[in-house]
Amino acid sequence: SQQGEEDPQALSIQEGENATMNCSYKTSINNLQWYRQNSGRGLVHLILIRSNEREKHSGRLRVTLDTSKKSSSLLITASRAADTASYFCATLESGTYKYIFGTGTRLKVLA
Amino acid sequence: ETGVTQSPTHLIKTRGQQVTLRCSSQSGHNTVSWYQQALGQGPQFIFQYYREEENGRGNFPPRFSGLQFPNYSSELNVNALELDDSALYLCASSEVAGANVLTFGAGSRLTVL
């Protein structure tokens, strides 16, 4: 498969807790992005981290990138019921215009 | 600023038929990509169009083809439909090809019987 892998595949937490999901990829990249998808609808961009960055923050989101391990993590702090969705990482394969998406983490936040 | 719009939202076809899906890109975006998302999976890259030319293709057979028009809208055509073509087809536009944020439409859900 050309897809990356997300871990865990599914995650269920209580409102107010933090959620961490991980992504591993296979090739050299220019950047890595995280997207959210609600109920099989279109994906919404959350955050982009470039290959020369190690950490990035946006509101309640914190993303890390370790290019030596070909992995990234997304942390959502103080989760809300509205954060319930599937989360995907996407990498831009170097030298191409192809974005490769992971298999996704299904997050459920219980009120 | 309008987002990415796709049509139709749902459609049902039978094996062997042909389908055309349409996408209007976000204002100011000149690049359109198409993705296939099977149930429970991540989106898989089909191809990308920039200035009416295909400039990248994923691992899909030639019966998947596309077009981009001068106004940057796009079509995805699938011939000789197979059962495994049942999926959510997503269109995404971006300002330039590569290294940019993708803006996705809500998708067209195709069911092949």
Side-chain angles (χ1 to χ4, degrees):
Chain A
S1 169
Q2 61 182 346
Q3 290 194 318
E5 298 285 332
E6 266 112 340
D7 163 56
Q9 289 187 340
L11 180 60
S12 186
I13 61 174
Q14 295 291 327
E15 207 166 30
E17 293 181 336
N18 295 342
T20 300
M21 51 205 86
N22 304 295
C23 163
S24 60
Y25 57 91
K26 299 176 182 177
T27 64
S28 297
I29 62 171
N30 290 325
N31 68 56
L32 184 143
Q33 302 182 39
W34 285 89
Y35 287 81
R36 184 186 73 209
Q37 185 178 37
N38 290 83
S39 301
R41 303 293 285 172
L43 282 76
V44 175
H45 176 260
L46 295 175
I47 194 166
L48 179 153
I49 186 166
R50 302 194 187 282
S51 58
N52 61 352
E53 297 175 310
R54 291 297 168 258
E55 187 171 314
K56 199 161 183 180
H57 296 254
S58 176
R60 294 185 295 114
L61 306 179
R62 172 180 170 254
V63 169
T64 63
L65 178 64
D66 187 336
T67 53
S68 67
K69 295 181 179 178
K70 289 188 167 57
S71 68
S72 174
S73 68
L74 171 67
L75 168 68
I76 304 174
T77 60
S79 63
R80 306 165 181 167
D83 295 328
T84 295
S86 292
Y87 292 81
F88 295 91
C89 67
T91 53
L92 181 64
E93 198 173 79
S94 289
T96 78
Y97 299 121
K98 183 195 302 186
Y99 278 96
I100 299 174
F101 283 81
T103 50
T105 292
R106 294 186 306 280
L107 173 65
K108 187 169 186 178
V109 181
L110 305 169
Chain B
E1 176 179 287
T2 59
V4 176
T5 58
Q6 292 187 243
S7 63
T9 54
H10 295 83
L11 68 166
I12 300 173
K13 293 284 188 177
T14 55
R15 201 169 42 179
Q17 285 188 313
Q18 177 265 342
V19 68
T20 297
L21 307 178
R22 295 178 176 83
C23 170
S24 294
S25 60
Q26 180 166 308
S27 176
H29 288 187
N30 59 20
T31 302
V32 173
S33 304
W34 286 91
Y35 292 82
Q36 180 196 66
Q37 186 178 23
L39 202 60
Q41 299 295 313
Q44 296 235 23
F45 177 78
I46 303 175
F47 43 55
Q48 178 176 270
Y49 280 84
Y50 171 65
R51 292 185 176 178
E52 303 176 57
E53 296 282 334
E54 183 184 297
N55 71 348
R57 190 176 182 94
N59 189 25
F60 281 82
R63 57 190 186 84
F64 285 78
S65 63
L67 284 172
Q68 187 182 31
F69 300 100
N71 66 355
Y72 305 127
S73 65
S74 178
E75 285 183 356
L76 164 65
N77 299 290
V78 187
N79 293 323
L81 284 167
E82 301 177 359
L83 298 179
D84 283 349
D85 295 333
S86 295
L88 181 67
Y89 288 86
L90 294 162
C91 170
S93 69
S94 57
E95 287 184 2
V96 294
N100 261 53
V101 170
L102 300 174
T103 301
F104 281 86
S108 294
R109 184 163 296 283
L110 171 65
T111 302
V112 182
L113 302 176

